[in-house]
């Protein structure tokens, strides 16, 4: 199993506890987070380069990706989906979370701003209205911010990289982020 973008190990600790006989690896671009997860959990963790050029140990049966696609523009989301596909065994599954209708509504009404400026909220919503995928960077960042994608658009992207959606739950991750179960065909 792979916890992709494991951060400090919030989910990694549960995977290790639930599957003690399985090989579980956590990767992230944040070296401090990886070192902390390794130290606290005695987990197999690695620092991942942002270019996604290095292959990981082996294909995985399961890849968990929580709260990453919520920060990526569409092109980067496609690139990460391809990378995940290439690291899944045929028939393997990835579980990813995204921002969908709930977050869209919160941004439209300004119930929450998700650390975006007013200008960037408007930019994100305009993009979402045009393409069903919206992205706006955090101030001072070019390629990292907040993204929105509806179920149909994420399904389209997942299918574009040769995988299929086998489960969807709106606001299924902490009653906030949408959850997709996706599979690499056999």
């Amino acid at each position: 199993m792979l916890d992709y973008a494991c951060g400090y190990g919030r989910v990694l600790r549960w995977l290790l506890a639930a599957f003690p006989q399985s090989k579980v690896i956590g990767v992230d671009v944040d070296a401090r987070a990886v070192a902390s997860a390794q130290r606290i959990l005695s987990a197999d963790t690695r620092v991942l380069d942002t270019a996604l050029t290095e292959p990981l140990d082996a294909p995985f049966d399961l890849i968990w990706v929580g709260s990453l696609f919520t920060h990526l523009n569409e092109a980067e989301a496609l690139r990460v989906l391809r990378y995940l596909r290439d690291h899944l065994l045929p028939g393997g599954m990835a579980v990813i979370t995204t921002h969908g209708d709930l977050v869209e509504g919160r941004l439209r009404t300004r119930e929450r701003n998700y650390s975006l400026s007013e200008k960037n909220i408007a930019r994100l919503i305009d993009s979402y209205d045009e393409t069903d995928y919206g992205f706006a960077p955090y101030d001072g960042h070019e390629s990292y911010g907040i993204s929105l994608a509806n179920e149909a658009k994420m399904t389209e992207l997942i299918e574009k990289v040769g995988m299929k959606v086998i489960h969807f739950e709106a606001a299924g991750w902490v009653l906030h982020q949408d959850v997709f179960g996706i599979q690499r065909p056999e």
Side-chain angles (χ1 to χ4, degrees), residues 44-146:
D44 183 355
T45 56
R46 324 246 171 99
V47 177
L48 188 67
D49 74 69
T50 57
L52 302 182
T53 55
E54 79 271 17
L56 298 171
D57 284 351
F60 296 92
D61 296 303
L62 175 68
I63 300 175
W64 161 258
V65 188
S67 303
L68 175 66
F69 287 93
T70 58
H71 298 285
L72 304 177
N73 64 42
E74 186 174 343
E76 189 64 9
L78 274 168
R79 193 168 80 97
V80 172
L81 283 168
R82 284 186 188 99
Y83 187 80
L84 297 175
R85 177 206 58 214
D86 293 346
H87 286 84
L88 274 173
L89 287 166
M93 188 168 98
V95 179
I96 67 170
T97 68
T98 64
H99 283 150
D101 293 341
L102 177 73
V103 172
E104 179 219 352
R106 287 179 171 170
L107 283 164
R108 268 191 207 281
T109 63
R110 305 309 196 259
E111 176 187 336
R112 293 200 45 200
N113 68 14
Y114 293 87
S115 300
L116 293 175
S117 66
E118 180 60 34
K119 177 181 139 196
N120 279 344
I121 292 172
R123 176 180 168 185
L124 184 146
I125 290 172
D126 288 347
S127 173
Y128 179 81
D129 287 343
E130 289 177 24
T131 67
D132 295 328
Y133 197 106
F135 172 79
Y138 293 126
D139 287 340
H141 297 273
E142 194 171 306
S143 60
Y144 192 73
I146 294 292

Side-chain angles (χ1 to χ4, degrees), residues 166-182:
I166 58 173
H167 176 78
F168 172 77
E169 186 174 350
W173 177 244
V174 294
L175 302 175
H176 185 81
Q177 295 177 18
D178 292 351
V179 177
F180 287 84
I182 59 179

Side-chain angles (χ1 to χ4, degrees), residues 6-53:
C6 68
Y8 287 85
R10 174 177 63 172
V11 172
L12 185 59
R13 72 187 70 240
W14 291 101
L15 292 174
L16 291 165
F19 303 99
Q21 302 306 315
S22 296
K23 181 177 182 178
V24 180
I25 299 172
V27 297
D28 202 291
V29 297
D30 183 338
R32 284 185 16 207
V34 167
S36 177
Q38 187 173 43
R39 185 180 69 255
I40 293 168
L41 303 172
S42 299
D44 183 355
T45 56
R46 324 246 171 99
V47 177
L48 188 67
D49 74 69
T50 57
L52 302 182
T53 55

